Amino acid sequence: PLGPRGQWKREEVITADDILAMLREKFVLHHDETPRGASPAELWEVAAGVVDGVEHPTGTVGIIASVTRPFCGDCDRTRLTADGHIRSCLFASGETDLRGLLRAGASDDEIADRWRAAMWVKQAGDGSDDESCLSPTRPMSAIGG
């Protein structure tokens, strides 16, 4: 949903469960039970083994499934765009202007207060799992994600 506006289609989403099913066709996975905190990726340990005649070492795979397994309640991220705006979520419909404050000579404390204010009103969920969710007006590459 964060690519070019209007091109994302819910019916084409590959879910976390789909990804795991594909991986489990070739690998033995064990869910990493360590709390992920604010990390967007859910982790699985991949057991060592031979796949298609190639030996693979033990490893870790992470899946960021913001649409099919939202993690909004634990997210503590904000983004500063290249043009000086704060976004409290990749899916946020609004932004907080810090560039204007900087250009007006605001103090570090004033800027920090404005940033905190934007973060404290962060929505509890991004709505990406809702059929009515609209993609942000900026693509992810312009948001800084």
Side-chain angles (χ1 to χ4, degrees):
L2 297 169
R5 194 168 177 106
Q7 292 188 8
W8 183 74
K9 295 178 179 68
R10 177 171 300 283
E11 61 276 5
E12 294 178 4
V13 168
I14 299 173
T15 69
D17 289 339
D18 295 337
I19 294 168
L20 289 168
M22 288 183 265
L23 288 170
R24 286 184 172 125
E25 288 176 10
K26 304 265 184 181
F27 302 98
V28 175
L29 303 177
H30 303 284
H31 189 255
D32 183 341
E33 298 298 330
T34 307
R36 71 181 186 187
S39 172
E42 191 173 358
L43 302 178
W44 282 264
E45 297 298 322
V46 182
V50 177
V51 177
D52 297 332
V54 178
E55 188 169 333
H56 292 275
T58 301
T60 304
V61 65
I63 298 174
I64 301 174
S66 58
V67 173
T68 60
R69 291 187 182 179
F71 48 88
C72 302
D74 293 321
C75 180
D76 62 358
R77 288 169 167 72
T78 56
R79 290 197 166 56
L80 176 61
T81 65
D83 61 356
H85 291 84
I86 293 297
R87 291 183 69 92
S88 61
C89 175
L90 287 172
F91 290 93
S93 58
E95 299 178 343
T96 300
D97 179 22
L98 295 186
R99 179 181 56 189
L101 286 176
L102 285 166
R103 289 185 173 170
S107 70
D108 289 351
D109 287 340
E110 290 171 309
I111 294 166
D113 287 345
R114 178 75 58 91
W115 194 322
R116 274 191 290 276
M119 187 178 74
W120 293 132
V121 295
K122 216 172 141 75
Q123 294 177 295
D126 64 22
S128 63
D129 56 341
D130 186 322
E131 296 280 336
S132 66
C133 178
L134 295 175
S135 296
T137 54
R138 292 187 195 228
M140 190 168 181
S141 61
I143 295 170

